[in-house]
Amino acid sequence: MTNEASKSLLEARSLSRHFLVRSGGTMIRKKRVVRAVDDVSLDLQSGRVTAVVGESGSGKSVLARMLARIVAPTSGELVLEATPVALKQKRTLAYASKVQLVLQDPFASINPVHRIRHSLERPLLIHGATKADVESLSEAVLARVSLDPPSRYLDRYPHELSGGQLQRVSIARALCVHPQVLLADEPISMLDVSVRLGVLNLLRGLCDEDRLAILYITHDIASARYIADEIVVMYAGQVVEQSNGTRLIDEPAHPYTRLLIASVPDPAAPTREQVAGQHTSAGSTVQEGCRFEPRCPHAMQICRTSEPPIFEVGEGHMARCWLHSDSKEVSDVALTVRQRGGAISKQ
Ligand SMILES: Nc1ncnc2c1ncn2[C@@H]1O[C@H](COP(=O)(O)OP(=O)(O)OP(=O)(O)O)[C@@H](O)[C@H]1O
Ligand code: SF4
Ligand SMILES: [Mg+2]
């Protein structure tokens, strides 16, 4: 990681996306609001990897798609290089060049009927390359993602490549337009374990050497710890904890983060804590109190009735949990709960 100063490239301010869904049988169809992403703020900076960690349904992909401007926010703002983005207008080509999205499944995102050459040519031409330059530019992006020699890959079809090689092609395709921000939505989760580290190292290299701002989305807090400068934990559409990677793992302040960390397989540990309770983070319908309360081993009375705000628990370290409240009434109860439940840090 270099010491060059980071600058804000893409900022999300209080971004929300709510969906109105219908549920129930054919006779009685009820409408309910799913708060897929609720009031999320992020600052993606050059030369920094920000990881968003959360289980299925926590809102990670909806967030990435809003940042890519594929899904329109219900409310909130986007600021690209210090300029507010006109969210009421269609996504511009300039925005698409600066902010690129890499998806989980490279076999679904790269057209299977065309050679790799074709998948790279299209973005290059759309974004202004001349026909004469396309071949050399295609080879250059393949070399950048360590597919060597590039000429060997250009005339292959996607099915002739491994998942890891094809994910590198999909990263190369994103690089064709010289983006400043790369949004990687679970880029390694469908890959063989043996090639995952290589793709993570590639992303880290793009961040350090090319100063890209990278959003790395994952279920796996261990891989977030490996690659990220900043970790954001999402639960049921909300950010519940955020800090630099080391601190968040060493001193988790939210019970959900603690459970995520405890559920990482550790061959040395005699037993391991599982992420407790029923999986309930699939978005959030309107409810009172803390969204994690049904699963929280430390839940207090206030957690059932009042949604916790975000508390600053250390420098640049935020947690959305009543255990960190300074209010006398809450903090007396929280102190007892903390003493009973273990070391949730409180400063
Ligand atoms: N178009 C839509 N209409 C209604 N609900 C939606 C829509 N898209 C997403 N959702 C809901 O929003 C919530 C968040 O979805 P999202 O895909 O962002 O989750 P995720 O964290 O990416 O999960 P996963 O890890 O499984 O990819 C889910 O409850 C999902 O069902
Ligand atoms: S606010 Fe209460 S229920 Fe929610 S995580 Fe904190 S202690 Fe648990
Ligand atoms: Mg997703």
Side-chain angles (χ1 to χ4, degrees), residues 60-62 104 185-186 217 219:
K60 307 179 298 296
S61 294
V62 173
Q104 184 176 24
D185 190 353
E186 302 203 46
I217 289 178
H219 283 227

Side-chain angles (χ1 to χ4, degrees), residues 232-271:
V232 174
V233 180
M234 281 186 77
Y235 186 82
Q238 290 181 318
V239 172
V240 294
E241 184 163 2
Q242 177 166 1
S243 180
N244 75 55
T246 321
R247 190 182 159 111
L248 188 130
I249 303 287
D250 293 346
E251 297 173 56
H254 195 282
Y256 177 58
T257 312
R258 295 184 75 203
L259 288 169
L260 281 180
I261 293 169
S263 68
V264 172
D266 177 0
T271 56

Side-chain angles (χ1 to χ4, degrees), residues 33-212:
V33 175
V34 173
R35 297 184 291 183
V37 173
D38 216 2
D39 196 17
V40 169
S41 296
L42 284 180
D43 189 11
L44 303 181
Q45 300 188 356
S46 57
R48 284 179 73 79
V49 177
T50 303
V52 173
V53 188
E55 62 199 33
S56 202
S58 54
K60 307 179 298 296
S61 294
V62 173
L63 174 63
R65 291 163 79 83
M66 283 196 285
L67 294 172
R69 298 213 54 210
I70 294 167
V71 165
T74 307
S75 60
E77 289 173 55
L78 283 176
V79 179
L80 181 66
E81 293 182 290
T83 306
V85 177
L87 292 176
K88 291 221 160 67
Q89 291 164 17
K90 274 179 68 180
R91 179 177 68 152
T92 60
L93 200 57
Y95 190 95
S97 308
K98 286 183 178 165
V99 182
Q100 283 281 305
L101 180 61
V102 172
L103 298 172
Q104 184 176 24
D105 182 1
F107 288 97
S109 57
I110 302 281
N111 192 329
V113 303
H114 291 294
R115 297 176 197 274
I116 300 305
R117 170 189 301 284
H118 176 89
S119 295
L120 301 177
E121 272 175 11
R122 280 201 65 222
L124 285 169
L125 291 172
I126 291 171
H127 288 267
T130 63
K131 285 231 168 202
D133 289 338
V134 158
E135 178 91 6
S136 61
L137 291 171
S138 299
E139 291 197 359
V141 284
L142 288 179
R144 182 66 192 90
V145 298
S146 305
L147 289 174
D148 262 330
S151 52
R152 219 174 84 194
Y153 293 91
L154 278 178
D155 284 317
R156 290 199 185 168
Y157 286 95
H159 72 266
E160 296 177 296
L161 269 57
S162 70
Q165 288 170 335
L166 203 56
Q167 192 58 296
R168 285 174 188 268
V169 170
S170 107
I171 294 168
R173 185 180 57 177
L175 297 180
C176 283
V177 297
H178 298 293
Q180 294 183 325
V181 179
L182 203 60
L183 311 168
D185 190 353
E186 302 203 46
I188 60 166
S189 63
M190 294 190 68
L191 307 184
D192 196 274
V193 174
S194 61
V195 300
R196 288 180 178 180
L197 198 59
V199 173
L200 282 186
N201 288 337
L202 167 63
L203 292 174
R204 188 69 241 182
L206 291 171
C207 178
D208 291 340
E209 292 147 29
D210 300 358
R211 305 298 293 163
L212 293 188

Side-chain angles (χ1 to χ4, degrees), residues 240 253-256 289-300 302-304 306-308 311 320-324 337 344:
V240 294
H254 195 282
Y256 177 58
C290 172
R291 296 178 189 186
F292 188 58
E293 183 271 326
R295 297 169 68 185
C296 183
H298 309 294
M300 304 169 282
I302 190 173
C303 308
R304 292 179 193 107
S306 305
E307 183 166 286
F311 295 100
R320 187 186 289 279
C321 174
W322 282 120
L323 290 174
H324 302 283
V337 171
I344 288 185

Side-chain angles (χ1 to χ4, degrees), residues 2-64:
T2 64
N3 291 326
E4 203 178 317
S6 298
K7 64 170 181 168
S8 174
L9 292 178
L10 181 61
E11 206 188 331
R13 294 184 185 160
S14 295
L15 219 52
S16 297
R17 173 65 203 216
H18 299 171
F19 294 103
L20 192 62
V21 292
R22 290 180 172 77
S23 56
T26 45
M27 299 295 283
I28 307 164
R29 306 266 298 164
K30 284 187 188 156
K31 286 183 191 168
R32 65 189 176 99
V33 175
V34 173
R35 297 184 291 183
V37 173
D38 216 2
D39 196 17
V40 169
S41 296
L42 284 180
D43 189 11
L44 303 181
Q45 300 188 356
S46 57
R48 284 179 73 79
V49 177
T50 303
V52 173
V53 188
E55 62 199 33
S56 202
S58 54
K60 307 179 298 296
S61 294
V62 173
L63 174 63

Side-chain angles (χ1 to χ4, degrees), residues 275-296:
V275 175
Q278 281 294 63
H279 166 70
T280 54
S281 83
S284 170
T285 45
V286 179
Q287 65 177 57
E288 285 180 354
C290 172
R291 296 178 189 186
F292 188 58
E293 183 271 326
R295 297 169 68 185
C296 183

